[in-house]
Amino acid sequence: MATAGFSLIPNANPTDARVREEILANPGFGRFFTDHMAHVRWTASDGWHNAEVRPYGPLTLDPAASVLHYAQEIFEGIKAYRHADGSVWSFRPEKNAARFRASARRLALPELDTETFIGSLKALVAQDIGWVPTPGSEADESSLYLRPFMIASEKFLGVRPSKEVDYYVIASPVASYFKGGIKPVSIWLSSTYNRAAPGGTGFAKCGGNYAASLAAQKEAEAHQCDQVAFLDAVENKWVEELGGMNLFFVFKDGRIVTPALTGTILEGVTRDSVLQLAKDAGLKPEERPISIDEWREGAASGEISEVFACGTAAVITPVGQLVGENERITCTAENGGEVGRSLRKQLLDIQYGRSEDTHGWLTRLA
Ligand code: COI
């Protein structure tokens, strides 16, 4: 038995410790995976069952599995941080569990309870604890990125909710999401594509949202930009989010604004934490609609002094430039912005156990 009802099938051929250390020294993002994965099966007749930690490896899926045709799939992103005493912690995993259930409801998938969700993280991390990087310094923000996901695995081509579903967690040691570390990124403003429409799946963390962002991301790369920003689908006027991150606008008078959650924006855990940390720091956080013209004019006049993106993978990353068909607006100084830098440090200090967890955000995994 592994943790909390998860049975264990150990990997008979785990990665050699020397190879693992080489990977941990330079993991990049999402390229390497640990020796095990967690799995729980669901069927309409039996509900959730067969919780196990088993060797990491390819899945056997019937070619007619509905996820391959109709994208009935959801996922999460959470990091496991090693503290100085060797213990391993995650950040607000109950928020991820709640969002996973909200995503499941929208995608007509079965809901997984918080206890099993967090239990699956604990079971996997306990087994693969040697894969959780030990940061060498405060500048080293390596961690073990946990990726829970749920797929519709029934062999059936009719369009209806699958009667067979599999939930997995895989784990990948990671360093910073962007290749250049935390230097400011450039953002392409898509005028061709929208990410989400009212009543759609924008608030859910489902693969389809990310698939739909890729053509826009290609457009961004063709314009030498790192990421793409999406506007709302109704008026093409209101700023929503990037391909996989929320946005914040820092005003020089102390206001810090992020687009309000209207159902088309992902309810980011980092976004919510930044709002709290900003309040704690005496800033004036505002969740409200912000138009692309307010962004343009504010950045041009200096009223907006910094813009940053945030997410579990990206933490807090400054936005250097907003680039459109006929525009290039500087949003944040080349060395990043002070407010974003300070919030980033506060967040990382809590996550890595270097400062007091006054909000009770950490859960011990191992
Ligand atoms: C995360 O931040 O964890 C995500 O899932 C977004 C993706 C860009 C990696």
Side-chain angles (χ1 to χ4, degrees):
M1 219 47 164
T3 310
F6 279 76
S7 63
L8 173 66
I9 306 167
N11 189 331
N13 292 300
T15 311
D16 182 77
R18 196 181 44 82
V19 174
R20 188 182 67 207
E21 289 315 312
E22 271 168 28
I23 291 171
L24 292 182
N26 185 19
F29 185 90
R31 291 186 296 139
F32 301 101
F33 296 89
T34 66
D35 294 313
H36 295 86
M37 57 191 185
H39 171 229
V40 191
R41 174 120 178 109
W42 180 90
T43 55
S45 51
D46 295 339
W48 289 109
H49 59 278
N50 193 40
E52 61 182 3
V53 170
R54 69 181 208 214
Y56 180 91
L59 306 179
T60 303
L61 270 187
D62 194 281
S66 35
V67 64
L68 301 176
H69 303 271
Y70 309 126
Q72 197 190 2
E73 185 271 357
I74 57 171
F75 68 97
E76 273 301 322
I78 313 174
K79 284 174 173 171
Y81 308 89
R82 194 183 289 276
H83 288 191
D85 64 359
S87 58
V88 178
W89 300 75
S90 69
F91 185 72
R92 311 186 77 185
E94 63 291 341
K95 295 274 287 178
N96 296 89
R99 187 172 64 187
F100 201 52
R101 280 198 300 279
S103 300
R105 284 192 293 275
R106 181 61 185 88
L107 273 286
L109 283 162
E111 294 181 38
L112 188 72
D113 61 273
T114 299
E115 199 188 331
T116 309
F117 182 88
I118 296 180
S120 68
L121 310 181
K122 287 184 175 168
L124 180 57
V125 170
Q127 194 55 30
D128 283 342
I129 190 152
W131 284 92
V132 185
T134 301
S137 68
E138 280 196 22
D140 177 354
E141 46 178 75
S142 51
S143 61
L144 186 67
Y145 185 78
L146 303 170
R147 172 53 63 89
F149 63 101
M150 196 191 286
I151 57 172
S153 46
E154 186 185 351
K155 173 185 177 181
F156 181 58
L157 289 185
V159 182
R160 60 139 170 80
S162 181
K163 292 184 179 165
E164 292 172 35
V165 167
D166 287 278
Y167 165 76
Y168 296 92
V169 190
I170 54 173
S172 171
V174 297
S176 76
Y177 183 72
F178 290 106
K179 276 197 218 84
I182 55 163
K183 71 172 183 13
V185 292
S186 50
I187 302 295
W188 171 251
L189 179 64
S190 182
S191 50
T192 321
Y193 301 105
N194 296 104
R195 178 186 167 277
T201 58
F203 70 89
K205 205 160 173 70
C206 61
N209 288 343
Y210 293 75
S213 77
L214 296 178
Q217 179 66 24
K218 269 176 76 176
E219 211 179 65
E221 282 161 21
H223 291 86
Q224 286 78 48
C225 289
D226 301 291
Q227 271 284 325
V228 56
F230 291 100
L231 300 180
D232 77 287
V234 178
E235 295 180 78
N236 263 307
K237 168 177 177 183
W238 306 103
V239 179
E240 297 216 313
E241 61 175 282
L242 305 185
M245 287 150 227
N246 296 120
L247 276 169
F248 274 87
F249 301 85
V250 180
F251 286 71
K252 68 174 187 211
D253 62 6
R255 283 175 296 145
I256 173 163
V257 178
T258 193
L261 300 174
T262 51
T264 52
I265 294 178
L266 191 81
E267 197 172 334
V269 177
T270 312
R271 173 190 179 280
D272 187 73
S273 310
V274 165
L275 285 168
Q276 181 62 52
L277 292 175
K279 193 163 159 233
D280 296 349
L283 295 165
K284 287 170 260 168
E286 290 179 9
E287 295 180 81
R288 64 164 170 84
I290 176 160
S291 72
I292 186 63
D293 285 338
E294 186 177 359
W295 181 353
R296 283 189 180 112
E297 286 155 22
S301 71
E303 202 62 32
I304 294 178
S305 50
E306 312 172 22
V307 180
F308 61 80
C310 71
T312 299
V315 193
I316 289 178
T317 301
V319 171
Q321 305 222 300
L322 174 67
V323 184
E325 285 299 348
N326 296 305
E327 61 187 339
R328 177 173 289 272
I329 301 170
T330 298
C331 306
T332 311
E334 251 174 61
N335 59 351
E338 255 172 59
V339 173
R341 194 171 18 249
S342 158
L343 290 169
R344 175 177 230 284
K345 180 171 163 31
Q346 287 173 52
L347 189 62
L348 289 170
D349 281 350
I350 296 171
Q351 290 170 335
Y352 284 97
R354 295 187 293 256
S355 69
E356 202 191 332
D357 175 22
T358 51
H359 296 289
W361 282 341
L362 299 185
T363 293
R364 185 164 182 175
L365 295 181

